[in-house]
Amino acid sequence: MRVKTGIVRRRKHKKVLRAAKGFRAASGTVIKQAKQATMRAAAYSTRDRKVTKRRMRQLWIIRINAAARLNGLTYSTLINGLKKAGIVLDRKVLADIALNNAAEFAKLAETAKAAL
């Protein structure tokens, strides 16, 4: 007895085409190209989640360094001083304080200076 794949194949194809919705030209309509395009898109999205985290950390460090230099420190001396003072704040929080609350950041910088 022969097995027909009509329903199964149609479901698979519809799944691929839903994932490729919005892709340009044949990448959004032709099954073979849509499949390749979605695989490539998935690979890029996996890679770029890591890249986004990396870029955000770079941005935080730049902001912390700029604020530290306004207070007479460099980034590395500020981080070192905060560690020696026992202040455990991650870069995201430090960057937010530096951006939105300069007075509090100045106090942290003074604490870091005192710890060195």
Side-chain angles (χ1 to χ4, degrees):
M1 185 171 159
R2 155 174 102 101
V3 177
K4 294 171 70 177
T5 60
I7 295 168
V8 175
R9 185 173 292 155
R10 190 175 306 115
R11 280 189 190 146
K12 282 187 171 187
H13 286 185
K14 284 177 93 172
K15 184 179 176 184
V16 169
L17 289 176
R18 270 197 302 274
K21 189 175 179 184
F23 289 6
R24 295 184 61 178
S27 296
T29 55
V30 179
I31 293 301
K32 188 173 183 179
Q33 291 185 16
K35 199 170 185 180
Q36 291 172 348
T38 52
M39 284 171 54
R40 180 175 287 120
Y44 283 155
S45 69
T46 303
R47 179 198 69 185
D48 289 339
R49 280 195 298 276
K50 306 270 186 207
V51 171
T52 302
K53 292 178 180 78
R54 198 180 309 150
R55 287 193 181 145
M56 288 308 296
R57 186 178 167 94
Q58 286 175 347
L59 177 66
W60 298 331
I61 289 172
I62 289 167
R63 286 179 175 171
I64 294 166
N65 189 24
R69 286 178 187 273
L70 289 174
N71 289 294
L73 290 169
T74 62
Y75 169 78
S76 59
T77 54
L78 174 76
I79 296 295
N80 187 23
L82 289 175
K83 279 185 182 170
K84 286 185 177 174
I87 298 172
V88 182
L89 291 173
D90 62 4
R91 277 129 186 102
K92 181 179 178 181
V93 173
L94 275 174
D96 187 54
I97 293 170
L99 191 64
N100 298 320
N101 202 341
E104 287 296 318
F105 191 85
K107 288 180 187 175
L108 285 172
E110 289 304 317
T111 309
K113 277 182 189 174
L116 294 172

